Amino acid sequence: MGILDRLFGGRFTMPPPEETNLSASAIMKELRPERSDSGQKKALEAFAWALVAFIPEKEGARLVRRVMRRYAMGDDAPSALTEGFLNDPKGQKLEHLVLLSLDWRGYDVFEYKAPYLVSASGVKVPYACVREGASSMPEVLHNFDHWLARFGKRYLHLDTGGENYDGVIVDADRLGAITELAGRAGINVSLESF
């Protein structure tokens, strides 16, 4: 303020800020956007719990808390899910991989992480990535889905609004219920890539 005072010849004065009696939580509540649909929040939490069903309960609970915290901070449902699971330092651990995110040329990442994803989903047969003439990432993921179908699993693509191919492994017999939960949570899912 001293430089502005000198610049304007002493005419620059500002009244002190008004004090408030609001608590920090009341201030944060005012800053966060109000969500009118509590059903979407419950559906997002149920969807996140359905995705972490294969991993240990303590780790799953930690990931679901992260997703719900992101949602409470104002993220939309797809962003809360991806940020909660994929945030590198505190997100999902490699041995308990739930959500796989790849870019259009992420063949090396897929080759490295797909066996962990398969193992975490409960499939006992190890997965060896073979591109089998697939030239694009959607074709590689389509072949992966066909491989999983032999074990009663499916690879479900999530439309998170970004350019990455995000997906999870789900039980084939629970596919309808999980798709319905995702729809109620505001997340588009499909067996085909977006």
Side-chain angles (χ1 to χ4, degrees):
M1 296 271 276
I3 192 164
L4 293 175
D5 189 43
R6 282 186 267 148
L7 184 65
F8 292 109
R11 296 182 314 226
F12 186 77
T13 60
M14 191 170 174
E18 295 180 16
E19 294 295 321
T20 181
N21 295 337
L22 294 176
S23 66
S25 64
I27 292 170
M28 289 307 292
K29 188 181 279 188
E30 289 294 323
L31 293 175
R32 292 182 186 144
E34 189 65 33
R35 299 208 190 264
S36 60
D37 188 11
S38 66
Q40 183 180 20
K41 179 181 178 183
K42 291 177 184 174
L44 176 62
E45 186 172 12
F47 181 63
W49 274 111
L51 296 181
V52 299
F54 301 116
I55 64 174
E57 187 176 345
K58 185 177 180 181
E59 179 66 14
R62 184 184 71 82
L63 291 174
V64 171
R65 278 193 311 271
R66 287 180 49 77
V67 168
M68 298 315 294
R69 189 175 311 125
R70 294 294 308 196
Y71 186 74
M73 288 173 38
D75 287 0
D76 61 342
S79 298
L81 190 70
T82 55
E83 286 296 317
F85 283 170
L86 298 177
N87 187 324
D88 288 335
K90 296 180 182 176
Q92 60 188 353
K93 294 175 176 44
L94 191 58
E95 63 271 7
H96 302 299
L97 200 61
V98 175
L99 177 66
L100 185 63
S101 184
L102 308 162
D103 66 5
W104 65 275
R105 55 191 164 102
Y107 301 107
D108 293 339
V109 175
F110 177 76
E111 190 174 328
Y112 177 67
K113 289 187 175 182
Y116 288 102
L117 184 67
V118 168
S119 174
S121 72
V123 176
K124 301 300 180 202
V125 178
Y127 177 73
C129 179
V130 179
R131 286 182 58 180
E132 299 173 3
S135 59
S136 67
M137 187 53 67
E139 291 174 356
V140 169
L141 294 173
H142 181 73
N143 293 343
F144 181 55
D145 180 48
H146 280 294
W147 183 86
L148 286 169
R150 296 186 297 173
F151 305 102
K153 307 279 185 185
R154 297 303 301 263
Y155 186 76
L156 189 64
H157 297 268
L158 307 176
D159 183 11
T160 56
E163 296 179 2
N164 285 354
Y165 296 99
D166 298 325
V168 295
I169 295 177
V170 297
D171 285 330
D173 58 343
R174 297 201 58 229
L175 184 62
I178 290 176
T179 302
E180 191 264 330
L181 267 177
R184 285 193 341 220
I187 300 173
N188 294 325
V189 296
S190 172
L191 291 174
E192 301 295 322
S193 62
F194 290 97

